[in-house]
Each structure stands twice: as structure tokens, then as C-alpha cells.
Coordinates of all heavy atoms in Angstrom, one line a residue:
M4 N -9.2 24.9 -18.6 CA -8.7 23.8 -17.7 C -9.9 22.9 -17.4 O -11.0 23.4 -17.0 CB -8.1 24.3 -16.4 CG -7.5 23.2 -15.7 SD -7.0 23.6 -14.0 CE -5.8 24.9 -14.1
N5 N -9.8 21.7 -17.7 CA -10.9 20.7 -17.4 C -10.9 20.5 -15.9 O -9.9 20.1 -15.3 CB -10.6 19.4 -18.1 CG -11.6 18.4 -17.9 OD1 -12.3 18.4 -16.9 ND2 -11.8 17.4 -18.8
E6 N -12.1 20.7 -15.2 CA -12.1 20.7 -13.8 C -11.9 19.3 -13.2 O -11.3 19.3 -12.1 CB -13.5 21.2 -13.3 CG -13.6 22.7 -13.1 CD -14.8 23.1 -12.4 OE1 -15.2 22.5 -11.4 OE2 -15.5 24.0 -13.0
T7 N -12.2 18.3 -13.9 CA -12.0 17.0 -13.3 C -10.6 16.4 -13.4 O -10.2 15.6 -12.6 CB -13.0 16.0 -13.9 OG1 -12.8 15.9 -15.2 CG2 -14.5 16.4 -13.6
T8 N -9.9 16.8 -14.5 CA -8.6 16.1 -14.6 C -7.4 17.0 -14.6 O -6.3 16.6 -14.3 CB -8.6 15.4 -16.0 OG1 -8.8 16.4 -17.1 CG2 -9.6 14.3 -16.1
D9 N -7.6 18.3 -14.9 CA -6.4 19.2 -15.0 C -6.2 20.0 -13.6 O -5.2 20.7 -13.6 CB -6.6 20.2 -16.1 CG -6.7 19.6 -17.4 OD1 -6.2 18.4 -17.5 OD2 -7.2 20.1 -18.4
R10 N -7.0 19.9 -12.7 CA -6.9 20.6 -11.5 C -5.8 19.9 -10.6 O -5.8 18.7 -10.4 CB -8.2 20.5 -10.7 CG -8.2 21.4 -9.5 CD -9.6 21.5 -8.9 NE -10.6 20.6 -9.5 CZ -11.6 20.1 -8.9 NH1 -11.7 20.2 -7.6 NH2 -12.4 19.2 -9.5
P11 N -4.8 20.7 -10.1 CA -3.8 20.1 -9.3 C -4.4 19.5 -8.0 O -5.4 20.0 -7.5 CB -2.9 21.3 -8.9 CG -3.4 22.5 -9.5 CD -4.7 22.1 -10.3
V12 N -3.9 18.4 -7.6 CA -4.4 17.7 -6.4 C -3.4 18.0 -5.3 O -2.2 17.7 -5.4 CB -4.5 16.2 -6.6 CG1 -4.9 15.4 -5.4 CG2 -5.5 15.9 -7.8
F13 N -3.9 18.5 -4.2 CA -3.0 18.8 -3.0 C -3.4 17.9 -1.9 O -4.5 17.5 -1.7 CB -3.1 20.2 -2.7 CG -2.5 21.2 -3.7 CD1 -3.3 21.8 -4.6 CD2 -1.1 21.3 -3.7 CE1 -2.7 22.7 -5.5 CE2 -0.6 22.2 -4.7 CZ -1.4 22.8 -5.5
G14 N -2.4 17.4 -1.2 CA -2.6 16.6 -0.1 C -1.8 17.0 1.1 O -1.3 18.2 1.1
W15 N -1.5 16.2 2.0 CA -0.8 16.4 3.3 C 0.3 15.4 3.4 O 0.1 14.2 3.2 CB -1.8 16.3 4.4 CG -1.1 16.7 5.7 CD1 -0.6 15.9 6.7 CD2 -1.0 18.0 6.2 NE1 -0.1 16.6 7.8 CE2 -0.3 17.9 7.5 CE3 -1.3 19.3 5.8 CZ2 0.0 19.0 8.3 CZ3 -1.0 20.4 6.5 CH2 -0.3 20.3 7.8
C16 N 1.5 15.9 3.8 CA 2.6 15.0 4.1 C 2.7 14.8 5.5 O 2.9 15.8 6.2 CB 3.9 15.6 3.5 SG 5.3 14.6 3.9
H17 N 2.6 13.6 6.0 CA 2.6 13.3 7.4 C 4.1 13.3 7.9 O 4.3 13.3 9.2 CB 2.0 12.0 7.7 CG 0.5 12.1 7.6 ND1 -0.1 11.8 6.4 CD2 -0.5 12.5 8.4 CE1 -1.4 11.9 6.5 NE2 -1.6 12.3 7.7
W18 N 5.0 13.3 7.1 CA 6.4 13.3 7.5 C 6.9 14.8 7.8 O 7.5 15.0 8.8 CB 7.3 12.5 6.6 CG 7.3 11.1 6.9 CD1 8.3 10.4 7.5 CD2 6.3 10.1 6.6 NE1 8.0 9.1 7.7 CE2 6.7 8.9 7.1 CE3 5.1 10.2 6.0 CZ2 5.9 7.8 7.1 CZ3 4.3 9.1 5.9 CH2 4.7 7.9 6.4
H19 N 6.8 15.7 6.9 CA 7.2 17.1 7.2 C 6.0 17.9 7.8 O 6.2 19.0 8.1 CB 7.8 17.7 5.9 CG 6.8 18.2 4.9 ND1 6.6 17.6 3.8 CD2 6.1 19.4 4.9 CE1 5.7 18.2 3.1 NE2 5.4 19.3 3.7
K20 N 4.8 17.3 7.9 CA 3.6 17.9 8.5 C 3.2 19.2 7.7 O 3.1 20.2 8.4 CB 3.9 18.1 10.0 CG 4.0 16.8 10.7 CD 4.2 17.0 12.2 CE 4.4 15.8 13.0 NZ 4.7 14.5 12.4
G21 N 3.1 19.1 6.5 CA 2.7 20.2 5.6 C 2.0 19.8 4.4 O 2.0 18.6 4.0
P22 N 1.5 20.8 3.7 CA 0.8 20.5 2.4 C 1.7 20.1 1.3 O 2.9 20.4 1.4 CB 0.1 21.9 2.0 CG 1.0 22.9 2.8 CD 1.5 22.3 4.0
S23 N 1.2 19.3 0.4 CA 2.0 18.8 -0.7 C 1.2 18.5 -1.9 O 0.1 18.0 -1.8 CB 2.7 17.5 -0.2 OG 3.3 16.8 -1.3
G24 N 1.8 18.7 -3.1 CA 1.2 18.3 -4.3 C 1.6 17.0 -4.8 O 1.2 16.6 -5.9
T25 N 2.5 16.3 -4.1 CA 3.1 15.0 -4.6 C 2.9 13.9 -3.5 O 3.5 12.9 -3.7 CB 4.6 15.2 -4.9 OG1 5.3 15.5 -3.6 CG2 4.9 16.2 -5.9
A26 N 2.0 14.1 -2.5 CA 1.9 13.1 -1.5 C 1.2 11.8 -2.1 O 0.2 12.0 -2.8 CB 1.0 13.7 -0.4
V27 N 1.7 10.7 -1.7 CA 1.1 9.4 -2.0 C 1.0 8.6 -0.7 O 1.7 8.8 0.2 CB 1.9 8.6 -3.1 CG1 1.9 9.4 -4.4 CG2 3.3 8.3 -2.6
L28 N 0.1 7.6 -0.8 CA -0.1 6.7 0.3 C 1.1 5.8 0.6 O 1.6 5.2 -0.2 CB -1.4 5.9 0.1 CG -1.8 5.0 1.3 CD1 -2.2 5.8 2.5 CD2 -3.0 4.1 0.8
I29 N 1.5 5.9 2.0 CA 2.7 5.1 2.3 C 2.3 4.0 3.3 O 2.8 2.9 3.2 CB 3.8 6.0 3.0 CG1 4.2 7.1 2.1 CG2 4.9 5.2 3.6 CD1 4.9 6.7 0.9
R30 N 1.4 4.3 4.2 CA 1.1 3.3 5.3 C -0.3 3.4 5.6 O -0.9 4.5 5.7 CB 2.0 3.5 6.5 CG 1.9 2.5 7.6 CD 2.9 2.7 8.7 NE 4.3 2.7 8.0 CZ 5.3 3.5 8.4 NH1 5.1 4.4 9.3 NH2 6.5 3.4 7.8
I31 N -1.0 2.3 6.0 CA -2.3 2.3 6.5 C -2.2 1.7 8.0 O -1.6 0.6 8.2 CB -3.3 1.4 5.7 CG1 -3.4 2.0 4.3 CG2 -4.6 1.2 6.4 CD1 -4.2 1.1 3.4
I32 N -2.7 2.5 8.9 CA -2.7 2.0 10.3 C -4.1 1.5 10.7 O -5.0 2.4 10.6 CB -2.2 3.1 11.2 CG1 -0.8 3.6 10.9 CG2 -2.2 2.7 12.7 CD1 -0.4 4.8 11.6
E33 N -4.3 0.3 10.9 CA -5.5 -0.3 11.2 C -5.7 -0.4 12.8 O -4.6 -0.7 13.5 CB -5.7 -1.6 10.6 CG -5.7 -1.5 9.1 CD -5.9 -2.8 8.4 OE1 -6.4 -3.8 9.0 OE2 -5.6 -2.9 7.2
Q34 N -6.9 -0.2 13.3 CA -7.1 -0.3 14.7 C -8.2 -1.3 14.9 O -9.1 -1.5 14.0 CB -7.5 1.0 15.3 CG -6.3 2.0 15.3 CD -6.7 3.3 15.9 OE1 -6.2 4.3 15.6 NE2 -7.6 3.3 16.9
G35 N -8.2 -2.0 16.0 CA -9.3 -2.9 16.3 C -10.7 -2.3 16.6 O -11.7 -2.8 16.1
S36 N -10.7 -1.0 17.1 CA -11.9 -0.3 17.3 C -11.6 1.1 16.9 O -10.5 1.6 17.2 CB -12.4 -0.4 18.7 OG -11.6 0.1 19.6
G37 N -12.6 1.8 16.4 CA -12.4 3.2 16.0 C -11.7 3.3 14.6 O -11.3 2.3 14.1
P38 N -11.6 4.5 14.1 CA -11.0 4.7 12.8 C -9.5 4.5 12.8 O -8.8 4.7 13.7 CB -11.4 6.2 12.5 CG -11.4 6.8 13.9 CD -12.0 5.8 14.8
G39 N -9.1 4.0 11.7 CA -7.6 3.8 11.5 C -7.1 5.1 10.9 O -7.7 6.1 11.0
A40 N -6.0 5.0 10.3 CA -5.3 6.2 9.7 C -4.6 5.8 8.4 O -4.1 4.7 8.3 CB -4.4 6.9 10.7
M41 N -4.5 6.8 7.5 CA -3.7 6.6 6.3 C -2.6 7.7 6.3 O -2.9 8.9 6.5 CB -4.5 6.7 5.1 CG -5.5 5.5 4.9 SD -6.4 5.4 3.4 CE -7.6 6.8 3.6
L42 N -1.3 7.3 6.1 CA -0.3 8.2 6.2 C 0.3 8.4 4.8 O 0.5 7.5 4.0 CB 0.9 7.7 7.1 CG 0.5 7.4 8.5 CD1 1.7 7.0 9.4 CD2 -0.1 8.7 9.2
Y43 N 0.5 9.7 4.4 CA 1.0 10.1 3.1 C 2.3 10.8 3.2 O 2.6 11.4 4.2 CB 0.0 11.0 2.4 CG -1.4 10.4 2.1 CD1 -2.3 10.3 3.1 CD2 -1.6 9.9 0.8 CE1 -3.5 9.7 2.8 CE2 -2.8 9.3 0.6 CZ -3.8 9.2 1.6 OH -5.0 8.6 1.3
A44 N 3.1 10.7 2.2 CA 4.4 11.4 2.1 C 4.6 12.0 0.7 O 4.3 11.4 -0.3 CB 5.6 10.3 2.5
C45 N 5.3 13.2 0.8 CA 5.6 13.9 -0.5 C 6.8 13.3 -1.1 O 7.6 12.5 -0.5 CB 5.7 15.4 -0.2 SG 7.1 15.8 0.8
A46 N 7.1 13.7 -2.3 CA 8.2 13.1 -3.0 C 9.6 13.4 -2.3 O 10.4 12.5 -2.2 CB 8.3 13.7 -4.5
P47 N 9.9 14.7 -1.8 CA 11.1 14.9 -1.1 C 11.3 14.0 0.1 O 12.3 13.5 0.4 CB 11.1 16.4 -0.8 CG 10.2 17.0 -1.8 CD 9.1 15.9 -2.1
C48 N 10.2 13.9 0.9 CA 10.3 13.1 2.1 C 10.4 11.6 1.8 O 11.2 10.9 2.5 CB 9.0 13.3 3.0 SG 9.0 14.9 3.8
R49 N 9.8 11.1 0.7 CA 10.0 9.7 0.3 C 11.5 9.5 -0.1 O 12.1 8.5 0.3 CB 9.1 9.4 -0.9 CG 7.6 9.3 -0.5 CD 6.7 8.6 -1.6 NE 7.0 9.2 -3.0 CZ 6.3 10.2 -3.5 NH1 5.4 10.8 -2.8 NH2 6.5 10.6 -4.7
E50 N 12.0 10.4 -0.8 CA 13.4 10.2 -1.2 C 14.3 10.3 -0.1 O 15.2 9.5 0.2 CB 13.8 11.3 -2.3 CG 15.2 11.1 -2.8 CD 15.5 12.1 -3.9 OE1 14.6 12.8 -4.5 OE2 16.7 12.3 -4.1
Q51 N 14.1 11.3 0.8 CA 15.0 11.6 1.9 C 14.9 10.4 2.9 O 16.0 10.0 3.5 CB 14.6 12.8 2.7 CG 15.5 13.4 3.6 CD 15.0 14.8 4.1 OE1 13.8 14.8 4.6 NE2 15.7 15.8 3.9
R52 N 13.8 9.8 3.2 CA 13.6 8.7 4.1 C 13.5 7.3 3.5 O 13.2 6.4 4.3 CB 12.3 9.1 5.0 CG 12.5 10.3 5.8 CD 11.2 10.8 6.4 NE 11.4 12.0 7.3 CZ 11.4 13.2 6.9 NH1 11.3 13.5 5.6 NH2 11.6 14.2 7.7
R53 N 13.6 7.3 2.2 CA 13.6 6.0 1.5 C 12.2 5.3 1.8 O 12.2 4.1 2.1 CB 14.7 5.1 1.9 CG 16.1 5.7 1.5 CD 17.2 4.8 1.9 NE 18.4 5.5 1.6 CZ 19.6 5.0 1.3 NH1 19.6 3.7 1.2 NH2 20.6 5.7 1.1
L54 N 11.2 6.0 1.6 CA 9.8 5.5 1.8 C 9.3 5.1 0.4 O 9.3 5.8 -0.6 CB 8.9 6.5 2.4 CG 9.3 7.2 3.7 CD1 8.4 8.4 4.1 CD2 9.2 6.1 4.8
A55 N 8.7 3.9 0.4 CA 8.1 3.4 -0.8 C 6.6 3.5 -0.7 O 6.0 3.3 0.3 CB 8.4 1.9 -1.0
P56 N 6.0 3.9 -1.8 CA 4.5 4.0 -1.9 C 3.9 2.7 -1.5 O 4.5 1.6 -1.8 CB 4.2 4.4 -3.3 CG 5.4 5.1 -3.8 CD 6.6 4.4 -3.1
L57 N 2.8 2.7 -0.9 CA 2.1 1.4 -0.5 C 2.0 0.4 -1.6 O 2.3 -0.8 -1.4 CB 0.7 1.8 0.1 CG 0.1 0.6 0.8 CD1 0.8 0.2 2.0 CD2 -1.4 1.0 1.0
A58 N 1.7 0.9 -2.8 CA 1.5 0.0 -3.9 C 2.8 -0.7 -4.4 O 2.7 -1.7 -5.1 CB 0.9 0.7 -5.1
E59 N 3.9 -0.2 -4.0 CA 5.2 -0.8 -4.4 C 5.9 -1.5 -3.2 O 7.0 -2.2 -3.4 CB 6.2 0.3 -4.8 CG 5.7 1.1 -6.0 CD 6.5 2.3 -6.4 OE1 7.7 2.4 -5.8 OE2 6.1 3.1 -7.2
Q60 N 5.3 -1.7 -2.0 CA 5.9 -2.3 -1.0 C 5.7 -3.9 -1.1 O 4.7 -4.3 -1.6 CB 5.2 -1.9 0.4 CG 5.5 -0.4 0.7 CD 4.8 0.1 1.9 OE1 4.3 -0.7 2.7 NE2 4.9 1.4 2.0
P61 N 6.7 -4.6 -0.8 CA 6.7 -6.1 -1.1 C 5.5 -6.8 -0.6 O 5.0 -7.7 -1.3 CB 8.0 -6.6 -0.5 CG 8.9 -5.4 -0.5 CD 8.0 -4.3 -0.3
D62 N 5.1 -6.5 0.7 CA 3.9 -7.2 1.2 C 2.7 -6.9 0.4 O 1.8 -7.8 0.2 CB 3.8 -7.0 2.7 CG 3.6 -5.5 3.1 OD1 4.3 -4.7 2.4 OD2 2.8 -5.1 3.9
E63 N 2.5 -5.7 0.0 CA 1.4 -5.3 -0.8 C 1.4 -5.9 -2.2 O 0.4 -6.4 -2.7 CB 1.2 -3.8 -0.9 CG 0.8 -3.1 0.3 CD -0.5 -3.4 0.8 OE1 -1.5 -3.5 -0.1 OE2 -0.7 -3.6 2.0
V64 N 2.6 -5.9 -2.8 CA 2.7 -6.5 -4.2 C 2.3 -8.0 -4.1 O 1.6 -8.5 -5.0 CB 4.1 -6.3 -4.7 CG1 4.3 -7.1 -6.0 CG2 4.3 -4.8 -4.9
T65 N 2.9 -8.7 -3.1 CA 2.7 -10.2 -3.1 C 1.2 -10.5 -2.7 O 0.6 -11.5 -3.2 CB 3.6 -10.9 -2.1 OG1 3.5 -10.2 -0.8 CG2 5.1 -10.8 -2.6
Y66 N 0.6 -9.6 -1.8 CA -0.7 -9.9 -1.5 C -1.7 -9.7 -2.6 O -2.6 -10.5 -2.9 CB -1.2 -9.0 -0.3 CG -2.5 -9.4 0.3 CD1 -2.8 -10.6 0.8 CD2 -3.6 -8.4 0.3 CE1 -4.0 -11.0 1.3 CE2 -4.8 -8.7 0.8 CZ -5.0 -10.0 1.3 OH -6.2 -10.3 1.9
R67 N -1.4 -8.6 -3.4 CA -2.2 -8.4 -4.6 C -2.1 -9.6 -5.6 O -3.1 -10.0 -6.2 CB -1.8 -7.1 -5.3 CG -2.6 -5.9 -4.7 CD -2.4 -4.7 -5.6 NE -1.1 -4.5 -6.1 CZ -0.2 -3.7 -5.6 NH1 -0.6 -2.8 -4.6 NH2 1.0 -3.6 -6.0
A68 N -0.9 -10.1 -5.8 CA -0.7 -11.2 -6.6 C -1.5 -12.5 -6.2 O -2.1 -13.2 -7.0 CB 0.8 -11.6 -6.8
Y69 N -1.5 -12.7 -4.8 CA -2.2 -13.8 -4.3 C -3.8 -13.6 -4.5 O -4.4 -14.5 -4.9 CB -1.9 -13.9 -2.7 CG -2.9 -14.8 -2.0 CD1 -2.8 -16.2 -2.2 CD2 -3.9 -14.3 -1.2 CE1 -3.6 -17.1 -1.6 CE2 -4.7 -15.2 -0.5 CZ -4.6 -16.6 -0.7 OH -5.5 -17.4 -0.1
L70 N -4.2 -12.4 -4.3 CA -5.7 -12.1 -4.5 C -6.0 -12.2 -6.0 O -7.1 -12.8 -6.2 CB -6.0 -10.7 -4.0 CG -6.1 -10.5 -2.5 CD1 -6.4 -9.0 -2.1 CD2 -7.0 -11.4 -1.8
D71 N -5.2 -11.8 -6.9 CA -5.5 -11.9 -8.3 C -5.6 -13.4 -8.7 O -6.4 -13.8 -9.5 CB -4.4 -11.2 -9.1 CG -4.5 -9.7 -9.1 OD1 -5.5 -9.2 -8.6 OD2 -3.5 -9.1 -9.5
H72 N -4.7 -14.2 -8.1 CA -4.7 -15.6 -8.4 C -5.9 -16.3 -7.9 O -6.6 -17.0 -8.6 CB -3.4 -16.3 -7.8 CG -3.5 -17.8 -7.9 ND1 -3.3 -18.5 -9.0 CD2 -3.9 -18.7 -7.0 CE1 -3.5 -19.8 -8.8 NE2 -3.8 -19.9 -7.5
T73 N -6.3 -16.1 -6.6 CA -7.4 -16.8 -6.0 C -8.7 -16.3 -6.6 O -9.7 -17.1 -6.5 CB -7.4 -16.6 -4.5 OG1 -7.4 -15.2 -4.1 CG2 -6.2 -17.2 -3.8
A74 N -8.8 -15.1 -7.1 CA -10.1 -14.7 -7.7 C -10.6 -15.5 -8.8 O -11.8 -15.7 -9.0 CB -9.9 -13.2 -8.1
G75 N -9.6 -16.1 -9.6 CA -10.0 -16.9 -10.7 C -9.6 -18.4 -10.7 O -9.7 -19.0 -11.7
C76 N -9.1 -18.8 -9.5 CA -8.6 -20.2 -9.4 C -9.7 -21.0 -8.8 O -10.1 -20.8 -7.7 CB -7.4 -20.2 -8.6 SG -6.8 -21.9 -8.3
G77 N -10.1 -22.1 -9.5 CA -11.0 -23.1 -9.0 C -10.5 -24.0 -7.9 O -11.2 -24.5 -7.1
G78 N -9.1 -24.0 -7.8 CA -8.5 -24.9 -6.8 C -8.3 -24.2 -5.5 O -7.9 -24.8 -4.5
C79 N -8.5 -22.9 -5.4 CA -8.4 -22.1 -4.2 C -9.7 -21.8 -3.7 O -10.6 -21.2 -4.3 CB -7.6 -20.9 -4.4 SG -5.8 -21.1 -4.8
G80 N -9.9 -22.1 -2.5 CA -11.3 -21.8 -1.8 C -11.2 -22.1 -0.3 O -10.2 -22.2 0.2
R81 N -12.4 -22.3 0.3 CA -12.5 -22.6 1.7 C -11.8 -23.9 2.1 O -11.3 -24.0 3.1 CB -13.9 -22.7 2.1 CG -14.7 -21.4 2.1 CD -16.0 -21.5 2.6 NE -16.7 -20.2 2.5 CZ -17.2 -19.7 3.6 NH1 -17.3 -20.3 4.7 NH2 -17.8 -18.5 3.5
A82 N -11.8 -24.8 1.1 CA -11.2 -26.1 1.4 C -9.6 -26.0 1.4 O -9.0 -27.0 1.9 CB -11.7 -27.2 0.5
G83 N -9.1 -25.0 0.8 CA -7.6 -25.0 0.7 C -7.1 -24.2 -0.5 O -7.9 -23.4 -1.0
R84 N -5.8 -24.4 -0.8 CA -5.3 -23.6 -1.9 C -4.6 -24.6 -2.9 O -4.1 -25.6 -2.5 CB -4.2 -22.6 -1.4 CG -4.8 -21.6 -0.5 CD -3.6 -20.7 0.0 NE -4.1 -19.7 1.0 CZ -4.1 -19.9 2.3 NH1 -3.6 -21.0 2.8 NH2 -4.6 -19.0 3.1
C85 N -4.5 -24.2 -4.2 CA -3.8 -25.0 -5.2 C -2.3 -24.8 -4.8 O -2.0 -24.0 -4.0 CB -4.2 -24.7 -6.5 SG -3.5 -23.1 -7.1
E86 N -1.5 -25.5 -5.6 CA 0.0 -25.3 -5.4 C 0.4 -23.9 -5.6 O 1.2 -23.4 -4.9 CB 0.7 -26.3 -6.3 CG 2.2 -26.4 -6.1 CD 2.8 -27.5 -6.9 OE1 2.3 -28.6 -7.0 OE2 3.8 -27.1 -7.6
D87 N -0.1 -23.2 -6.7 CA 0.4 -21.9 -7.0 C -0.2 -20.9 -5.9 O 0.5 -20.0 -5.5 CB -0.2 -21.4 -8.4 CG 0.6 -22.1 -9.5 OD1 1.7 -22.5 -9.3 OD2 0.1 -22.1 -10.6
G88 N -1.4 -21.1 -5.5 CA -2.0 -20.3 -4.4 C -1.3 -20.5 -3.1 O -1.1 -19.5 -2.4
A89 N -0.8 -21.7 -2.8 CA 0.0 -21.9 -1.5 C 1.3 -21.2 -1.6 O 1.8 -20.6 -0.7 CB 0.1 -23.4 -1.3
R90 N 2.0 -21.3 -2.8 CA 3.2 -20.6 -3.0 C 3.1 -19.1 -2.9 O 3.9 -18.4 -2.2 CB 3.8 -21.0 -4.4 CG 5.2 -20.4 -4.7 CD 5.6 -20.7 -6.1 NE 4.7 -20.5 -7.1 CZ 4.3 -19.3 -7.6 NH1 4.9 -18.2 -7.2 NH2 3.4 -19.2 -8.6
L91 N 2.1 -18.5 -3.5 CA 1.8 -17.0 -3.4 C 1.5 -16.7 -2.0 O 2.0 -15.6 -1.5 CB 0.7 -16.6 -4.3 CG 1.0 -16.7 -5.8 CD1 -0.2 -16.6 -6.7 CD2 2.0 -15.6 -6.2
W92 N 0.7 -17.5 -1.2 CA 0.4 -17.2 0.1 C 1.7 -17.2 1.0 O 1.9 -16.3 1.8 CB -0.6 -18.2 0.7 CG -0.9 -18.0 2.2 CD1 -0.5 -18.7 3.2 CD2 -1.7 -16.9 2.7 NE1 -1.0 -18.1 4.4 CE2 -1.8 -17.0 4.1 CE3 -2.4 -15.8 2.1 CZ2 -2.4 -16.1 4.9 CZ3 -3.1 -14.9 2.9 CH2 -3.1 -15.1 4.3
E93 N 2.6 -18.1 0.8 CA 3.8 -18.2 1.6 C 4.7 -17.0 1.2 O 5.4 -16.5 2.1 CB 4.6 -19.5 1.3 CG 3.8 -20.7 2.0 CD 3.7 -20.5 3.5 OE1 4.6 -20.0 4.2 OE2 2.5 -20.8 4.0
A94 N 4.8 -16.6 0.0 CA 5.5 -15.4 -0.4 C 5.0 -14.2 0.3 O 5.7 -13.3 0.8 CB 5.5 -15.2 -1.9
Y95 N 3.6 -14.0 0.4 CA 3.0 -12.9 1.1 C 3.4 -13.0 2.5 O 3.8 -11.9 3.2 CB 1.5 -12.9 0.9 CG 0.8 -12.0 1.9 CD1 1.0 -10.7 1.9 CD2 -0.1 -12.6 2.9 CE1 0.4 -9.9 2.8 CE2 -0.7 -11.8 3.8 CZ -0.4 -10.4 3.8 OH -1.1 -9.6 4.7
R96 N 3.3 -14.2 3.2 CA 3.6 -14.2 4.6 C 5.1 -13.9 4.9 O 5.4 -13.3 5.9 CB 3.3 -15.6 5.1 CG 1.8 -16.0 5.0 CD 0.9 -15.3 5.9 NE 1.2 -15.7 7.3 CZ 0.8 -15.0 8.3 NH1 0.0 -14.0 8.2 NH2 1.1 -15.4 9.5
G97 N 6.0 -14.3 4.0 CA 7.4 -14.0 4.1 C 7.6 -12.5 4.0 O 8.4 -11.9 4.8
A98 N 7.0 -11.8 3.0 CA 7.1 -10.4 2.9 C 6.6 -9.6 4.1 O 7.1 -8.6 4.5 CB 6.5 -9.9 1.6
L99 N 5.4 -10.1 4.6 CA 4.8 -9.5 5.8 C 5.7 -9.6 7.0 O 5.8 -8.7 7.8 CB 3.4 -10.2 6.0 CG 2.5 -9.5 7.0 CD1 2.2 -8.1 6.5 CD2 1.2 -10.3 7.1
A100 N 6.4 -10.8 7.2 CA 7.2 -11.0 8.3 C 8.5 -10.1 8.2 O 9.0 -9.6 9.2 CB 7.7 -12.5 8.4
A101 N 8.9 -9.8 7.0 CA 10.1 -9.0 6.8 C 9.8 -7.6 7.2 O 10.7 -6.8 7.7 CB 10.6 -9.0 5.4
V102 N 8.5 -7.2 7.1 CA 8.1 -5.8 7.4 C 8.0 -5.6 8.9 O 8.5 -4.6 9.4 CB 6.7 -5.4 6.8 CG1 6.2 -4.1 7.3 CG2 6.8 -5.4 5.3
G103 N 7.5 -6.5 9.6 CA 7.2 -6.3 11.0 C 8.0 -7.2 11.8 O 8.3 -7.2 12.9

């Protein structure tokens, strides 16, 4: 067994409060001061509670699309956003509002 790639990875499920080999990141809790927290859920808890992995949540998907665009766009910067950048930013804000 290759130690770096074939070893099972075990984590913690914050929903059933136990160990899991299928836990993935679901939520990041940020705090103004002090450490934040990352919450993980196993496959059965995700299915049972309809939890989406963080990377698949609409606000995360739209924010990544916005960041990918602005990283290479000459029209997006401190002075403002290009038309596509503005559209992506509004999509992100809409997805974020739907979450909270």
C-alpha cells in the first residue's frame, strides 16, 4: 500500500458526532475574532439531511466563477468591473442572499 495515496482518510461528522471515512466540508463558520470552524458531514448524513458539499453550494460556485473571471480580466479592478464581472458579482450576491 502506498502510504501517501492508498491510506484511508478518516474524519469527523459534525452531524452524527462520530468518526467517518466519507466526511466532506459542508460549512465554514467565520468569526470576527478568534478561530472559526469548519463543519464536515458523512455521506449518510448528507443524504439524510440534504446537505451539499461546500464546493457544490450555489454561493460557492458563483463566487469561484467570479474570482476566476476577475483574475484574468483587465476590465475588472479597483476602479470597477466589466459587464461580465458585474453580472457574475450580482449572481454571487443573489446566491448569497438565498442562503442567508
Side-chain angles (χ1 to χ4, degrees):
M4 186 188 303
N5 182 332
E6 270 191 50
T7 59
T8 58
D9 295 340
R10 188 173 7 147
V12 177
F13 291 98
W15 185 262
C16 176
H17 289 90
W18 273 259
H19 78 261
K20 297 182 180 15
S23 169
T25 61
V27 296
L28 183 61
I29 301 296
R30 187 172 303 139
I31 298 174
I32 300 172
E33 297 181 17
Q34 292 183 210
S36 64
M41 292 188 287
L42 302 180
Y43 295 83
C45 66
C48 287
R49 290 194 311 271
E50 183 177 342
Q51 197 174 56
R52 293 168 176 86
R53 298 178 189 211
L54 300 169
L57 187 67
E59 296 173 14
Q60 294 175 14
D62 57 321
E63 288 295 319
V64 171
T65 55
Y66 188 59
R67 275 194 314 260
Y69 170 73
L70 289 180
D71 288 346
H72 169 79
T73 58
C76 178
C79 292
R81 288 181 181 237
R84 298 178 183 96
C85 74
E86 189 174 309
D87 288 336
R90 181 181 50 77
L91 289 166
W92 179 253
E93 288 305 315
Y95 164 64
R96 299 292 293 167
L99 194 59
V102 170

